[in-house]
Amino acid sequence: MRLPVCRFSSKANSNKLTSALVSKIKYLNQKYERYLERRFPRFYQLYSTFLKGLQVFFSEAKEIRKIKADMSNKNIQFHQLPYREMERLRQFRRDLIKAIPVGILSLPPFANYFVLLLMYLFPRQLLIRHFWTPKQQAEFLNTYHNMRREAYTEVIDGLTHLSHFLDDPQLRQRMLYLCEKVQEGFHPDVTELKAVRTLFVGHPFGIQQLTVQHVKVLSRVLFLTPRLPSFFLRNRLRSHLSELHYLDQAMVKLGVSQLTEEEVQAACYTRGLNSVHLDPDDCRVWLNQWLSLSCSLRDSETSLLAHAMVLLSTNFTPSSKS
């Protein structure tokens, strides 16, 4: 009868010791964080952002694993997922692609110290969004949009140039008027884009018919590298536009009114509009305009989505809501 009692007593003592050790570590950690916050506020902000980023990243990784397990068990394809799960998969994949090179650089002995220095010096280029401070997030998103916006003029000029070679005089006139309207600083109506949708199936504005230079410019609009052979550029562009089309259809099922302010702003930014400093209500208006176009298109017309990212966002302002 004594042996089980001894074992229980030993186990209880071990648990008490572990609990006391954990409590002591937490206390020391909190004391260390208060010291950093008081003496080195800038470093503390980076430190706390990094820790929170790690927690969010691992939490998202668990969610992604669960989503993929459900997809496998229920035999569900990507386009059949609800909007939020579809968007999480899309964003996590992009984050992972950005994080992998940093992980590889950290593999050699002592290289992680050098990588940490690089991450501190070049947070926009090397860190994923989880490790950006709120101030950095607004700054970096603005920077990325400005880089994307540099391609907008080239897209509209390319459309104007190709429009002159259209055989149908009525469609040619509509397309030239649409381009001219945007170039003069006016926000086009969705009905004007729908009126030329047939031009984006085959010649001259279908993905396969566009010039390589035009495909490269559109790749920059979607934050895709243009430094690939034309075959891969076209396939990658088509794949991302199809993915965006699926997301739009899932968003309509959910309803824009059900999205949080952060989700609405992120959705607009993904589709070409710089929503960083826009009011969420204005973002909802623009997003409804976008969905009105996107969900009226067939799969073969998704080339228009890439161009709509430019045409619908270039001149949008709160006064464009009507």
Side-chain angles (χ1 to χ4, degrees):
M1 295 295 293
R2 291 182 179 178
L3 188 58
V5 173
C6 291
R7 286 178 178 172
F8 176 77
S9 177
S10 176
K11 184 177 180 180
N13 290 335
S14 177
N15 288 339
K16 287 182 180 178
L17 182 62
T18 302
S19 178
L21 184 61
V22 170
S23 298
K24 186 65 174 178
I25 291 174
K26 285 183 178 179
Y27 170 75
L28 291 174
N29 187 60
Q30 290 172 356
K31 189 174 181 180
Y32 173 66
E33 288 182 354
R34 286 196 297 270
Y35 170 77
L36 287 179
E37 186 176 13
R38 187 174 63 254
R39 299 298 298 273
F40 306 100
R42 185 178 177 185
F43 178 78
Y44 172 76
Q45 186 181 30
L46 296 174
Y47 170 79
S48 59
T49 300
F50 182 77
L51 290 183
K52 290 175 184 176
L54 278 179
Q55 292 174 353
V56 173
F57 180 77
F58 285 122
S59 175
E60 283 194 5
K62 289 180 181 178
E63 288 184 24
I64 296 301
R65 188 166 62 236
K66 184 178 180 298
I67 292 171
K68 289 193 172 184
D70 287 343
M71 289 175 66
S72 178
N73 294 333
K74 299 176 183 178
N75 196 24
I76 297 175
Q77 301 298 317
F78 175 81
H79 65 274
Q80 297 172 308
L81 290 170
Y83 171 74
R84 287 193 172 98
E85 294 184 2
M86 199 184 297
E87 174 61 19
R88 282 193 186 100
L89 276 178
R90 184 197 72 85
Q91 187 60 56
F92 189 80
R93 185 166 60 243
R94 294 180 75 97
D95 290 338
L96 202 59
I97 290 172
K98 186 174 182 180
I100 285 174
V102 178
I104 293 174
L105 286 174
S106 304
L107 290 178
F110 306 108
N112 54 330
Y113 296 106
F114 177 66
V115 171
L116 285 173
L117 177 62
L118 290 178
M119 290 167 68
Y120 176 78
L121 295 175
F122 307 103
R124 178 174 62 84
Q125 294 85 347
L126 297 177
L127 294 180
I128 57 178
R129 57 194 170 91
H130 303 81
F131 305 109
W132 294 345
T133 65
K135 181 181 178 182
Q136 285 177 329
Q137 185 165 3
E139 178 187 341
F140 295 164
L141 288 178
N142 273 325
T143 300
Y144 279 126
H145 180 75
N146 290 335
M147 293 165 61
R148 169 172 64 180
R149 191 178 174 86
E150 290 176 359
Y152 285 10
T153 302
E154 294 181 58
V155 171
I156 298 172
D157 288 344
L159 285 175
T160 302
H161 174 73
L162 291 173
S163 297
H164 286 100
F165 300 98
L166 293 172
D167 295 328
D168 189 318
Q170 187 176 12
L171 286 175
R172 180 173 64 246
Q173 189 61 33
R174 285 178 178 174
M175 197 67 222
L176 287 171
Y177 172 76
L178 178 61
C179 294
E180 184 179 351
K181 186 174 184 178
V182 175
Q183 288 173 327
E184 291 179 354
F186 296 99
H187 182 67
D189 192 87
V190 171
T191 56
E192 294 174 313
L193 275 72
K194 291 180 180 179
V196 294
R197 55 190 286 181
T198 56
L199 296 174
F200 294 83
V201 177
H203 179 78
F205 302 126
I207 298 296
Q208 289 299 123
Q209 286 72 31
L210 289 171
T211 64
V212 175
Q213 180 57 33
H214 198 87
V215 172
K216 288 182 177 181
V217 175
L218 288 178
S219 296
R220 288 162 52 198
V221 172
L222 273 80
F223 295 127
L224 302 174
T225 177
R227 299 179 183 86
L228 289 172
S230 61
F231 172 77
F232 292 105
L233 280 176
R234 295 182 195 278
N235 281 347
R236 200 173 183 213
L237 186 61
R238 188 188 301 107
S239 172
H240 278 72
L241 290 173
S242 296
E243 187 177 71
L244 195 60
H245 200 207
Y246 291 142
L247 279 165
D248 290 341
Q249 292 167 354
M251 189 190 298
V252 168
K253 290 180 182 178
L254 175 64
V256 174
S257 60
Q258 300 301 312
L259 299 179
T260 65
E261 293 182 357
E262 292 77 11
E263 287 175 328
V264 168
Q265 289 178 318
C268 289
Y269 190 89
T270 299
R271 290 157 179 79
L273 181 70
N274 187 8
S275 54
V276 175
H277 302 297
L278 275 180
D279 186 270
D281 289 338
D282 296 326
C283 290
R284 291 183 194 277
V285 170
W286 186 89
L287 196 54
N288 279 313
Q289 291 180 11
W290 171 275
L291 293 175
S292 173
L293 172 67
S294 176
C295 293
S296 70
L297 300 179
R298 300 190 300 269
D299 291 341
S300 58
E301 298 169 334
T302 51
S303 175
L304 179 53
L305 284 184
H307 294 86
M309 290 177 68
V310 177
L311 296 169
L312 286 179
S313 65
T314 299
N315 301 315
F316 179 80
T317 60
S319 60
S320 306
K321 292 190 287 186
S322 56

mmCIF file of all heavy atoms in Angstrom, residues 78-79 86 207 212 263 267 275 292-293 316:
data_model
loop_
_atom_site.group_PDB
_atom_site.id
_atom_site.type_symbol
_atom_site.label_atom_id
_atom_site.label_comp_id
_atom_site.label_asym_id
_atom_site.label_seq_id
_atom_site.Cartn_x
_atom_site.Cartn_y
_atom_site.Cartn_z
ATOM 1 N N PHE A 78 -10.487 23.915 -53.681
ATOM 2 C CA PHE A 78 -10.254 25.284 -53.211
ATOM 3 C C PHE A 78 -11.455 26.186 -53.476
ATOM 4 O O PHE A 78 -11.898 26.924 -52.589
ATOM 5 C CB PHE A 78 -9.004 25.852 -53.889
ATOM 6 C CG PHE A 78 -8.733 27.294 -53.575
ATOM 7 C CD1 PHE A 78 -8.107 27.666 -52.389
ATOM 8 C CD2 PHE A 78 -9.113 28.302 -54.459
ATOM 9 C CE1 PHE A 78 -7.855 28.997 -52.097
ATOM 10 C CE2 PHE A 78 -8.867 29.637 -54.171
ATOM 11 C CZ PHE A 78 -8.230 29.978 -52.988
ATOM 12 N N HIS A 79 -12.015 26.116 -54.691
ATOM 13 C CA HIS A 79 -13.099 27.029 -55.063
ATOM 14 C C HIS A 79 -14.418 26.715 -54.365
ATOM 15 O O HIS A 79 -15.382 27.477 -54.477
ATOM 16 C CB HIS A 79 -13.296 27.020 -56.577
ATOM 17 C CG HIS A 79 -13.773 25.700 -57.122
ATOM 18 N ND1 HIS A 79 -12.904 24.690 -57.459
ATOM 19 C CD2 HIS A 79 -15.025 25.231 -57.363
ATOM 20 C CE1 HIS A 79 -13.590 23.649 -57.899
ATOM 21 N NE2 HIS A 79 -14.875 23.950 -57.849
ATOM 22 N N MET A 86 -10.926 30.342 -47.808
ATOM 23 C CA MET A 86 -10.244 30.495 -49.091
ATOM 24 C C MET A 86 -9.201 31.613 -49.023
ATOM 25 O O MET A 86 -8.073 31.460 -49.501
ATOM 26 C CB MET A 86 -11.285 30.810 -50.174
ATOM 27 C CG MET A 86 -10.827 30.544 -51.590
ATOM 28 S SD MET A 86 -12.062 31.046 -52.826
ATOM 29 C CE MET A 86 -13.423 29.957 -52.410
ATOM 30 N N ILE A 207 -5.722 36.694 -72.227
ATOM 31 C CA ILE A 207 -4.384 36.459 -71.664
ATOM 32 C C ILE A 207 -3.433 35.883 -72.706
ATOM 33 O O ILE A 207 -2.269 36.297 -72.799
ATOM 34 C CB ILE A 207 -4.465 35.504 -70.452
ATOM 35 C CG1 ILE A 207 -5.319 36.122 -69.328
ATOM 36 C CG2 ILE A 207 -3.066 35.182 -69.924
ATOM 37 C CD1 ILE A 207 -4.754 37.376 -68.750
ATOM 38 N N VAL A 212 3.796 40.039 -74.633
ATOM 39 C CA VAL A 212 4.564 39.639 -73.454
ATOM 40 C C VAL A 212 4.784 40.837 -72.534
ATOM 41 O O VAL A 212 4.688 40.715 -71.303
ATOM 42 C CB VAL A 212 5.923 39.031 -73.868
ATOM 43 C CG1 VAL A 212 6.769 38.719 -72.643
ATOM 44 C CG2 VAL A 212 5.713 37.771 -74.692
ATOM 45 N N GLU A 263 -11.127 43.226 -42.987
ATOM 46 C CA GLU A 263 -11.311 42.329 -44.133
ATOM 47 C C GLU A 263 -11.691 43.111 -45.386
ATOM 48 O O GLU A 263 -11.219 42.795 -46.487
ATOM 49 C CB GLU A 263 -12.389 41.293 -43.813
ATOM 50 C CG GLU A 263 -11.944 40.225 -42.823
ATOM 51 C CD GLU A 263 -13.070 39.298 -42.428
ATOM 52 O OE1 GLU A 263 -14.241 39.752 -42.382
ATOM 53 O OE2 GLU A 263 -12.803 38.116 -42.149
ATOM 54 N N ALA A 267 -9.427 43.276 -48.710
ATOM 55 C CA ALA A 267 -9.997 42.809 -49.979
ATOM 56 C C ALA A 267 -9.822 43.865 -51.072
ATOM 57 O O ALA A 267 -9.479 43.542 -52.216
ATOM 58 C CB ALA A 267 -11.471 42.471 -49.791
ATOM 59 N N SER A 275 -6.386 51.055 -50.013
ATOM 60 C CA SER A 275 -7.424 51.284 -49.008
ATOM 61 C C SER A 275 -6.853 51.672 -47.647
ATOM 62 O O SER A 275 -7.604 51.772 -46.673
ATOM 63 C CB SER A 275 -8.269 50.013 -48.848
ATOM 64 O OG SER A 275 -7.420 48.900 -48.568
ATOM 65 N N SER A 292 -19.910 43.609 -58.563
ATOM 66 C CA SER A 292 -20.923 43.720 -59.609
ATOM 67 C C SER A 292 -20.338 43.353 -60.965
ATOM 68 O O SER A 292 -21.003 42.718 -61.798
ATOM 69 C CB SER A 292 -21.477 45.142 -59.641
ATOM 70 O OG SER A 292 -22.335 45.330 -60.743
ATOM 71 N N LEU A 293 -19.083 43.737 -61.189
ATOM 72 C CA LEU A 293 -18.398 43.377 -62.436
ATOM 73 C C LEU A 293 -17.932 41.928 -62.403
ATOM 74 O O LEU A 293 -18.238 41.138 -63.300
ATOM 75 C CB LEU A 293 -17.206 44.294 -62.667
ATOM 76 C CG LEU A 293 -16.284 43.909 -63.830
ATOM 77 C CD1 LEU A 293 -17.007 44.074 -65.158
ATOM 78 C CD2 LEU A 293 -14.999 44.728 -63.804
ATOM 79 N N PHE A 316 -10.610 56.368 -58.205
ATOM 80 C CA PHE A 316 -11.679 56.255 -57.219
ATOM 81 C C PHE A 316 -11.408 57.151 -56.027
ATOM 82 O O PHE A 316 -10.316 57.151 -55.452
ATOM 83 C CB PHE A 316 -11.832 54.816 -56.736
ATOM 84 C CG PHE A 316 -12.909 54.656 -55.686
ATOM 85 C CD1 PHE A 316 -14.251 54.577 -56.056
ATOM 86 C CD2 PHE A 316 -12.590 54.622 -54.328
ATOM 87 C CE1 PHE A 316 -15.241 54.463 -55.090
ATOM 88 C CE2 PHE A 316 -13.584 54.506 -53.366
ATOM 89 C CZ PHE A 316 -14.904 54.414 -53.747
#
